[in-house]
Amino acid sequence: KVLVNGHIPDSTCRKLLSHFGDDLVDKINDPDSLRESGISKDMALLVAETWTFLKAHFEVTSVLRSVGISKHKVQRIWSHFKDNAANILVNDPWALVLVDGITLNQTDTIAVRSGLDMDNPSRYKWGVYFLAKSQKGMGHLYITKTKLSTLFYEQFGSNPSMASMFEQGLNTCIAEEKLVLVGNCVYEKWVFEIENQSASILSDRAHKSRQSSWFDEGTEEMEFLENYDGTHEEKVDQAVKDWCIDREMTLSEAQRSAVVKALLSPITILT
Protein backbone atom coordinates (compact mmCIF):
# COMPACT_ATOMS: atom_id res chain seq x y z
CA LYS A 1 0.00 0.00 0.00
CA VAL A 2 2.84 2.38 0.83
CA LEU A 3 4.44 1.95 -2.59
CA VAL A 4 1.09 2.20 -4.39
CA ASN A 5 0.43 5.47 -2.56
CA GLY A 6 3.84 6.56 -3.84
CA HIS A 7 2.59 6.01 -7.41
CA ILE A 8 4.35 2.69 -8.00
CA PRO A 9 2.11 0.55 -10.28
CA ASP A 10 0.01 -2.02 -8.43
CA SER A 11 1.22 -4.75 -10.80
CA THR A 12 4.86 -3.99 -9.88
CA CYS A 13 4.08 -4.11 -6.16
CA ARG A 14 2.35 -7.48 -6.54
CA LYS A 15 5.29 -8.87 -8.51
CA LEU A 16 7.75 -7.76 -5.82
CA LEU A 17 5.63 -9.16 -3.01
CA SER A 18 5.11 -12.45 -4.83
CA HIS A 19 8.85 -12.87 -5.44
CA PHE A 20 10.30 -11.72 -2.12
CA GLY A 21 7.44 -12.25 0.32
CA ASP A 22 8.41 -11.18 3.85
CA ASP A 23 12.00 -10.54 2.69
CA LEU A 24 10.88 -7.56 0.57
CA VAL A 25 11.56 -5.11 3.41
CA ASP A 26 15.22 -6.25 3.50
CA LYS A 27 15.62 -5.98 -0.28
CA ILE A 28 13.66 -2.86 -1.08
CA ASN A 29 16.58 -0.44 -0.71
CA ASP A 30 18.73 -2.38 -3.20
CA PRO A 31 17.76 -1.86 -6.86
CA ASP A 32 19.98 -4.75 -8.03
CA SER A 33 18.19 -7.17 -5.70
CA LEU A 34 14.78 -5.85 -6.79
CA ARG A 35 15.58 -6.72 -10.42
CA GLU A 36 15.57 -10.41 -9.43
CA SER A 37 11.77 -10.14 -9.46
CA GLY A 38 11.80 -9.41 -13.17
CA ILE A 39 11.16 -5.65 -13.07
CA SER A 40 13.26 -3.29 -15.20
CA LYS A 41 16.35 -1.45 -14.01
CA ASP A 42 14.58 1.91 -14.15
CA MET A 43 11.59 0.59 -12.21
CA ALA A 44 13.89 -0.96 -9.59
CA LEU A 45 15.61 2.40 -9.10
CA LEU A 46 12.24 4.16 -8.85
CA VAL A 47 10.95 1.66 -6.27
CA ALA A 48 14.07 2.01 -4.10
CA GLU A 49 14.03 5.82 -4.29
CA THR A 50 10.28 5.97 -3.58
CA TRP A 51 10.62 3.67 -0.59
CA THR A 52 13.52 5.69 0.82
CA PHE A 53 11.56 8.93 0.48
CA LEU A 54 8.32 7.56 1.93
CA LYS A 55 10.11 5.86 4.83
CA ALA A 56 11.85 9.15 5.68
CA HIS A 57 8.56 11.00 5.31
CA PHE A 58 6.76 8.71 7.76
CA GLU A 59 9.60 8.79 10.27
CA VAL A 60 9.90 12.58 10.14
CA THR A 61 6.14 13.05 10.35
CA SER A 62 5.95 10.74 13.36
CA VAL A 63 8.64 12.68 15.23
CA LEU A 64 7.13 16.07 14.41
CA ARG A 65 3.62 15.04 15.42
CA SER A 66 4.96 13.61 18.70
CA VAL A 67 6.16 17.07 19.80
CA GLY A 68 2.81 18.70 19.10
CA ILE A 69 3.36 19.97 15.56
CA SER A 70 0.10 19.94 13.60
CA LYS A 71 -0.40 18.10 10.31
CA HIS A 72 -0.65 21.45 8.51
CA LYS A 73 2.71 22.59 9.89
CA VAL A 74 4.28 19.21 9.07
CA GLN A 75 3.21 19.75 5.46
CA ARG A 76 4.76 23.22 5.53
CA ILE A 77 8.02 21.77 6.87
CA TRP A 78 8.13 19.27 3.99
CA SER A 79 7.29 22.04 1.54
CA HIS A 80 10.13 24.21 2.89
CA PHE A 81 12.90 21.63 3.34
CA LYS A 82 11.76 19.06 0.76
CA ASP A 83 14.10 16.03 0.55
CA ASN A 84 16.42 17.58 3.15
CA ALA A 85 13.77 17.43 5.90
CA ALA A 86 15.00 14.14 7.37
CA ASN A 87 18.61 15.37 7.45
CA ILE A 88 17.53 18.62 9.16
CA LEU A 89 15.54 16.69 11.74
CA VAL A 90 18.52 14.49 12.66
CA ASN A 91 21.37 17.01 12.45
CA ASP A 92 19.95 20.51 12.89
CA PRO A 93 16.34 20.45 14.14
CA TRP A 94 16.64 24.07 15.34
CA ALA A 95 16.49 25.14 11.67
CA LEU A 96 12.82 24.14 11.74
CA VAL A 97 12.07 27.61 13.18
CA LEU A 98 12.40 28.85 9.59
CA VAL A 99 8.82 27.62 9.28
CA ASP A 100 6.32 29.94 10.98
CA GLY A 101 4.62 28.37 13.99
CA ILE A 102 7.49 26.08 15.04
CA THR A 103 8.82 26.98 18.50
CA LEU A 104 12.26 26.77 20.05
CA ASN A 105 10.95 24.41 22.73
CA GLN A 106 9.71 21.98 20.09
CA THR A 107 13.07 21.99 18.30
CA ASP A 108 14.89 21.49 21.61
CA THR A 109 12.73 18.45 22.36
CA ILE A 110 13.62 16.92 18.98
CA ALA A 111 17.31 17.70 19.56
CA VAL A 112 17.29 15.97 22.95
CA ARG A 113 15.68 12.88 21.42
CA SER A 114 18.35 12.87 18.72
CA GLY A 115 21.10 13.09 21.33
CA LEU A 116 22.45 16.39 19.99
CA ASP A 117 24.71 18.68 22.02
CA MET A 118 22.54 21.43 23.49
CA ASP A 119 25.51 23.80 23.40
CA ASN A 120 25.64 23.43 19.63
CA PRO A 121 26.25 26.89 18.07
CA SER A 122 23.43 26.17 15.63
CA ARG A 123 20.98 26.16 18.53
CA TYR A 124 21.97 29.67 19.50
CA LYS A 125 22.03 30.91 15.91
CA TRP A 126 18.50 29.74 15.26
CA GLY A 127 17.49 30.96 18.71
CA VAL A 128 18.56 34.49 17.76
CA TYR A 129 16.70 34.20 14.46
CA PHE A 130 13.52 32.88 16.09
CA LEU A 131 13.45 35.58 18.76
CA ALA A 132 14.00 38.31 16.16
CA LYS A 133 11.29 36.86 13.94
CA SER A 134 8.82 36.56 16.83
CA GLN A 135 8.51 40.36 17.04
CA LYS A 136 6.63 40.26 13.74
CA GLY A 137 3.69 38.70 15.54
CA MET A 138 3.59 41.68 17.90
CA GLY A 139 3.20 44.21 15.10
CA HIS A 140 6.86 45.28 14.93
CA LEU A 141 9.04 45.31 11.83
CA TYR A 142 12.24 45.11 13.85
CA ILE A 143 13.58 44.49 17.32
CA THR A 144 16.40 46.42 18.95
CA LYS A 145 19.59 44.49 19.48
CA THR A 146 19.35 45.36 23.18
CA LYS A 147 15.87 43.85 23.47
CA LEU A 148 16.91 40.84 21.41
CA SER A 149 19.84 40.11 23.70
CA THR A 150 17.53 40.35 26.74
CA LEU A 151 15.14 37.80 25.22
CA PHE A 152 18.09 35.59 24.32
CA TYR A 153 19.37 35.54 27.90
CA GLU A 154 15.87 34.82 29.19
CA GLN A 155 15.64 31.86 26.83
CA PHE A 156 19.12 30.39 27.18
CA GLY A 157 20.42 31.72 30.50
CA SER A 158 22.68 34.62 31.42
CA ASN A 159 25.96 32.92 32.28
CA PRO A 160 29.10 34.69 30.95
CA SER A 161 29.44 32.46 27.88
CA MET A 162 26.01 33.44 26.60
CA ALA A 163 27.17 36.93 25.60
CA SER A 164 29.60 35.51 23.06
CA MET A 165 27.02 32.93 21.92
CA PHE A 166 24.54 35.73 21.27
CA GLU A 167 27.04 37.78 19.27
CA GLN A 168 28.17 34.72 17.32
CA GLY A 169 24.58 33.69 16.58
CA LEU A 170 23.60 37.18 15.47
CA ASN A 171 26.68 37.61 13.29
CA THR A 172 26.08 34.24 11.64
CA CYS A 173 22.46 35.14 10.88
CA ILE A 174 23.66 38.41 9.34
CA ALA A 175 26.40 36.66 7.32
CA GLU A 176 23.83 34.12 6.03
CA GLU A 177 21.49 37.03 5.15
CA LYS A 178 18.71 35.87 7.42
CA LEU A 179 18.85 39.02 9.56
CA VAL A 180 19.94 42.60 8.90
CA LEU A 181 21.41 44.92 11.54
CA VAL A 182 20.95 48.66 10.99
CA GLY A 183 22.27 50.69 13.89
CA ASN A 184 20.61 49.05 16.90
CA CYS A 185 17.70 47.63 14.88
CA VAL A 186 17.54 43.96 13.85
CA TYR A 187 15.28 43.04 10.92
CA GLU A 188 14.38 39.83 9.18
CA LYS A 189 15.98 40.11 5.75
CA TRP A 190 12.75 40.14 3.75
CA VAL A 191 11.09 42.61 6.14
CA PHE A 192 14.07 44.95 5.82
CA GLU A 193 13.88 44.79 2.03
CA ILE A 194 10.16 45.60 2.08
CA GLU A 195 10.70 48.54 4.44
CA ASN A 196 13.62 49.77 2.35
CA GLN A 197 11.61 49.58 -0.86
CA SER A 198 8.64 51.30 0.80
CA ALA A 199 10.87 54.11 2.05
CA SER A 200 12.31 54.51 -1.45
CA ILE A 201 8.83 54.70 -2.99
CA LEU A 202 7.68 57.28 -0.44
CA SER A 203 10.84 59.35 -0.89
CA ASP A 204 10.41 59.27 -4.67
CA ARG A 205 6.76 60.26 -4.29
CA ALA A 206 7.64 63.20 -2.05
CA HIS A 207 10.43 64.31 -4.41
CA LYS A 208 8.20 64.22 -7.47
CA SER A 209 5.47 66.16 -5.69
CA ARG A 210 7.94 68.95 -4.93
CA GLN A 211 8.80 69.11 -8.61
CA SER A 212 5.16 69.25 -9.71
CA SER A 213 2.94 71.16 -7.30
CA TRP A 214 -0.70 72.11 -7.43
CA PHE A 215 0.39 75.63 -6.70
CA ASP A 216 2.70 76.08 -9.69
CA GLU A 217 1.64 78.91 -11.97
CA GLY A 218 -0.48 77.81 -14.89
CA THR A 219 -1.72 74.53 -13.45
CA GLU A 220 -5.42 73.75 -13.67
CA GLU A 221 -5.62 73.40 -9.90
CA MET A 222 -3.99 76.79 -9.31
CA GLU A 223 -6.36 78.49 -11.72
CA PHE A 224 -9.29 76.95 -9.87
CA LEU A 225 -7.98 77.96 -6.44
CA GLU A 226 -7.51 81.56 -7.56
CA ASN A 227 -11.26 81.92 -6.99
CA TYR A 228 -10.55 81.75 -3.27
CA ASP A 229 -8.67 84.01 -0.84
CA GLY A 230 -6.15 83.13 1.87
CA THR A 231 -3.30 80.67 2.23
CA HIS A 232 -3.04 77.52 0.14
CA GLU A 233 -4.57 75.49 2.96
CA GLU A 234 -7.42 77.98 3.44
CA LYS A 235 -8.16 77.93 -0.30
CA VAL A 236 -8.29 74.13 -0.41
CA ASP A 237 -10.45 74.05 2.73
CA GLN A 238 -12.97 76.44 1.19
CA ALA A 239 -12.96 74.45 -2.05
CA VAL A 240 -13.75 71.27 -0.13
CA LYS A 241 -16.60 73.02 1.70
CA ASP A 242 -18.10 74.17 -1.62
CA TRP A 243 -17.67 70.69 -3.10
CA CYS A 244 -19.62 69.21 -0.17
CA ILE A 245 -22.38 71.83 -0.51
CA ASP A 246 -22.75 71.10 -4.24
CA ARG A 247 -23.14 67.40 -3.50
CA GLU A 248 -25.23 67.84 -0.34
CA MET A 249 -22.59 66.02 1.66
CA THR A 250 -21.80 66.76 5.31
CA LEU A 251 -18.31 66.30 6.73
CA SER A 252 -17.32 66.91 10.33
CA GLU A 253 -14.53 69.38 10.96
CA ALA A 254 -12.12 66.50 11.60
CA GLN A 255 -13.15 64.73 8.39
CA ARG A 256 -12.79 67.89 6.33
CA SER A 257 -9.38 68.55 7.88
CA ALA A 258 -8.27 65.05 6.91
CA VAL A 259 -9.43 65.56 3.33
CA VAL A 260 -7.58 68.89 3.11
CA LYS A 261 -4.37 67.34 4.45
CA ALA A 262 -4.67 64.42 2.03
CA LEU A 263 -5.06 66.85 -0.88
CA LEU A 264 -2.12 69.01 0.19
CA SER A 265 0.26 66.20 1.13
CA PRO A 266 1.90 63.85 -1.39
CA ILE A 267 1.87 61.06 1.20
CA THR A 268 -0.94 60.02 3.52
CA ILE A 269 -0.43 57.36 6.20
CA LEU A 270 -3.52 55.66 7.64
CA THR A 271 -3.14 53.95 11.01
Side-chain angles (χ1 to χ4, degrees):
K1 285 185 177 180
V2 171
L3 289 175
V4 170
N5 289 337
H7 306 294
I8 299 298
D10 183 66
S11 59
T12 299
C13 295
R14 291 182 183 279
K15 186 179 289 188
L16 290 169
L17 190 58
S18 175
H19 183 82
F20 292 108
D22 293 339
D23 292 333
L24 178 58
V25 174
D26 298 325
K27 303 288 186 178
I28 202 165
N29 290 316
D30 183 2
D32 291 335
S33 296
L34 293 177
R35 292 187 64 191
E36 296 173 8
S37 67
I39 65 175
S40 68
K41 179 180 179 180
D42 289 342
M43 181 56 71
L45 286 170
L46 179 61
V47 169
E49 289 173 358
T50 300
W51 175 258
T52 299
F53 172 79
L54 292 174
K55 184 172 181 290
H57 190 283
F58 290 134
E59 290 174 349
V60 169
T61 298
S62 177
V63 172
L64 294 175
R65 295 287 287 135
S66 72
V67 297
I69 296 175
S70 69
K71 290 181 180 179
H72 175 65
K73 289 174 184 174
V74 169
Q75 291 173 349
R76 287 168 60 189
I77 288 171
W78 276 106
S79 177
H80 184 94
F81 293 104
K82 297 182 171 53
D83 292 347
N84 198 37
N87 177 57
I88 289 293
L89 197 68
V90 172
N91 297 305
D92 192 9
W94 302 289
L96 294 175
V97 298
L98 281 166
V99 178
D100 287 343
I102 307 303
T103 68
L104 282 177
N105 289 338
Q106 288 171 326
T107 62
D108 274 348
T109 300
I110 296 171
V112 169
R113 291 182 182 180
S114 299
L116 296 178
D117 180 6
M118 298 304 282
D119 279 328
N120 190 317
S122 186
R123 180 182 183 229
Y124 301 118
K125 177 189 78 174
W126 291 115
V128 169
Y129 174 79
F130 174 82
L131 294 170
K133 184 176 77 166
S134 67
Q135 296 305 294
K136 184 173 57 181
M138 301 179 185
H140 303 299
L141 293 179
Y142 67 86
I143 181 174
T144 65
K145 182 180 177 182
T146 305
K147 176 64 175 176
L148 181 58
S149 65
T150 299
L151 294 176
F152 182 87
Y153 299 140
E154 289 175 356
Q155 179 73 34
F156 297 109
S158 56
N159 65 66
S161 66
M162 285 297 106
S164 62
M165 289 298 184
F166 170 74
E167 291 294 339
Q168 180 181 334
L170 178 58
N171 290 335
T172 303
C173 285
I174 293 170
E176 294 178 357
E177 297 189 341
K178 292 178 176 64
L179 297 177
V180 175
L181 178 63
V182 180
N184 192 42
C185 301
V186 180
Y187 294 82
E188 267 190 279
K189 174 72 179 208
W190 71 272
V191 174
F192 173 75
E193 290 178 348
I194 290 174
E195 177 139 298
N196 221 18
Q197 291 170 14
S198 298
S200 179
I201 291 170
L202 292 174
S203 176
D204 184 58
R205 166 79 174 156
H207 178 68
K208 287 181 178 178
S209 72
R210 287 193 292 270
Q211 292 178 330
S212 178
S213 171
W214 275 22
F215 305 109
D216 290 343
E217 292 295 333
T219 63
E220 183 180 347
E221 291 84 359
M222 189 59 185
E223 290 177 3
F224 174 77
L225 291 174
E226 285 178 352
N227 297 317
Y228 299 96
D229 296 322
T231 64
H232 292 328
E233 185 170 352
E234 290 169 343
K235 289 179 179 181
V236 173
D237 183 56
Q238 188 57 51
V240 171
K241 287 179 182 178
D242 289 348
W243 186 89
C244 290
I245 291 172
D246 290 342
R247 289 160 180 75
E248 298 181 351
M249 180 182 292
T250 301
L251 295 178
S252 68
E253 185 174 341
Q255 288 173 324
R256 193 177 70 254
S257 175
V259 171
V260 171
K261 289 178 179 178
L263 290 171
L264 289 171
S265 304
I267 298 167
T268 301
I269 298 176
L270 302 177
T271 61

